[in-house]
């Protein structure tokens, strides 16, 4: 069973389009995250939800909107896609109270904007 | 804020060579420290962790010791294999956030 699963794995789209990436975890964790990895492999946190409540909202364009229908799901919607949005987006989950534990990551969604 | 600095790569080694990747951190509290590995085309996997000073994390022949006095968590492996070629990330967890270093690309040649 996949612990953190993201769909789609690859996404190629044109500038100006709107797209969504979905994430689901079956670990029973109460917190989920979105990270962006750029072409130099640098990882930057974008958002975090704890029990469906937004707890981390880094400096991200408001074209990016996360939505968490329940604590097992965290989706990322992106409006008016730009070339600079091309990156790999990783979803992750953790049990927030368990600070001694790291996050479990999905396998990533490679977004290419053309 | 809390941050992690790790040595820049890329690092290229021959099989059976010794690998060290330096990592230092800045934190106001007592964070937990991690090393993650990303193999080509894959997501991040937890390699090892340490949760308090002097703890040693180990896995797959890799080791790292949480050094509070030098605020460091250097990753070491005594004899690398081609299969260890990957990007290695040092990370610290404080409060709700896991913060990563810039990543070090390691290539091991046969």
């Amino acid at each position: 069973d996949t612990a953190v699963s993201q769909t789609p794995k690859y996404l190629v789209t044109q500038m100006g389009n709107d797209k969504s990436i979905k994430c689901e975890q079956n670990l029973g964790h109460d917190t989920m995250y979105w990270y962006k990895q750029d072409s130099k492999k640098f990882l930057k946190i974008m958002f975090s939800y704890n029990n469906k409540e937004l707890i981390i909202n880094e400096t991200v364009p408001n074209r990016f909107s996360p939505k968490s229908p329940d604590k097992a799901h965290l989706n990322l919607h992106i409006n008016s896609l730009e070339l600079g949005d091309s990156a790999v987006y990783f979803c992750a989950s953790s049990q927030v109270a368990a600070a001694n534990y790291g996050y479990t990551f999905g396998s990533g969604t490679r977004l290419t904007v053309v | 804020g809390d941050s992690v600095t790790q040595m820049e790569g890329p690092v290229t080694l021959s099989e059976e060579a010794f690998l060290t990747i330096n990592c230092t951190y800045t934190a106001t509290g007592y964070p937990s420290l991690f090393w993650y590995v990303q193999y080509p085309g894959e997501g991040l996997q937890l390699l090892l962790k340490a949760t308090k000073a002097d703890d040693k994390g180990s896995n797959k022949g890799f080791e790292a010791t949480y050094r509070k006095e030098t605020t460091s968590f250097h990753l070491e492996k005594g004899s690398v294999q081609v299969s260890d070629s990957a990007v290695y990330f040092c990370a610290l967890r404080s409060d709700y956030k896991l913060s990563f270093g810039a990543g070090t690309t390691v290539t091991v040649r046969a």
Side-chain angles (χ1 to χ4, degrees):
Chain A
D1 282 344
T2 303
V4 179
S5 59
Q6 300 178 222
T7 55
K9 190 171 175 66
Y10 300 97
L11 184 53
V12 181
T13 187
Q14 291 188 326
M15 276 196 324
N17 283 351
D18 303 338
K19 290 293 179 185
S20 291
I21 306 171
K22 296 187 175 183
C23 180
E24 175 182 3
Q25 55 96 3
N26 63 4
L27 297 167
H29 289 163
D30 61 6
T31 308
M32 296 184 72
Y33 311 81
W34 279 110
Y35 278 80
K36 179 180 180 181
Q37 185 176 46
D38 64 21
S39 58
K40 296 185 178 179
K41 303 292 186 183
F42 187 73
L43 282 155
K44 182 174 170 53
I45 191 167
M46 300 173 69
F47 303 104
S48 175
Y49 270 76
N50 172 251
N51 284 321
K52 302 195 297 176
E53 181 182 344
L54 183 66
I55 57 171
I56 295 175
N57 185 359
E58 296 289 298
T59 306
V60 176
N62 58 15
R63 298 182 294 104
F64 290 78
S65 54
K67 285 195 172 43
S68 182
D70 55 62
K71 70 176 189 177
H73 296 83
L74 179 61
N75 304 323
L76 183 65
H77 188 76
I78 315 170
N79 289 328
S80 304
L81 278 155
E82 300 178 357
L83 293 177
D85 298 331
S86 296
V88 181
Y89 293 84
F90 286 101
C91 177
S93 72
S94 74
Q95 195 65 19
V96 69
N100 294 344
Y101 292 88
Y103 299 176
T104 301
F105 283 82
S107 57
T109 296
R110 182 174 294 276
L111 172 64
T112 303
V113 183
V114 297
Chain B
D2 296 350
S3 65
V4 175
T5 302
Q6 64 181 101
M7 64 183 277
E8 293 185 18
V11 174
T12 302
L13 304 164
S14 298
E15 254 189 329
E16 300 183 4
F18 185 86
L19 170 67
T20 299
I21 304 176
N22 289 341
C23 172
T24 57
Y25 67 91
T26 302
T28 52
Y30 300 95
S32 295
L33 301 174
F34 305 85
W35 277 99
Y36 278 81
V37 58
Q38 185 178 25
Y39 298 104
E42 298 184 13
L44 283 85
Q45 300 175 25
L46 179 63
L47 181 60
L48 54 84
K49 66 180 172 113
T51 59
K52 60 184 188 297
D54 300 326
D55 265 4
K56 178 188 281 189
S58 61
N59 186 25
K60 299 182 180 181
F62 290 89
E63 292 183 341
T65 301
Y66 190 143
R67 301 282 187 205
K68 189 167 179 291
E69 64 276 12
T70 54
T71 62
S72 64
F73 192 54
H74 305 322
L75 182 68
E76 297 182 338
K77 185 172 185 182
S79 177
V80 294
Q81 305 300 313
V82 172
S83 58
D84 293 323
S85 298
V87 183
Y88 293 82
F89 294 92
C90 186
L92 71 80
R93 180 167 179 180
S94 58
D95 296 327
Y96 295 107
K97 195 186 298 188
L98 187 66
S99 300
F100 287 90
T104 302
T105 300
V106 174
T107 302
V108 181
R109 294 181 174 166

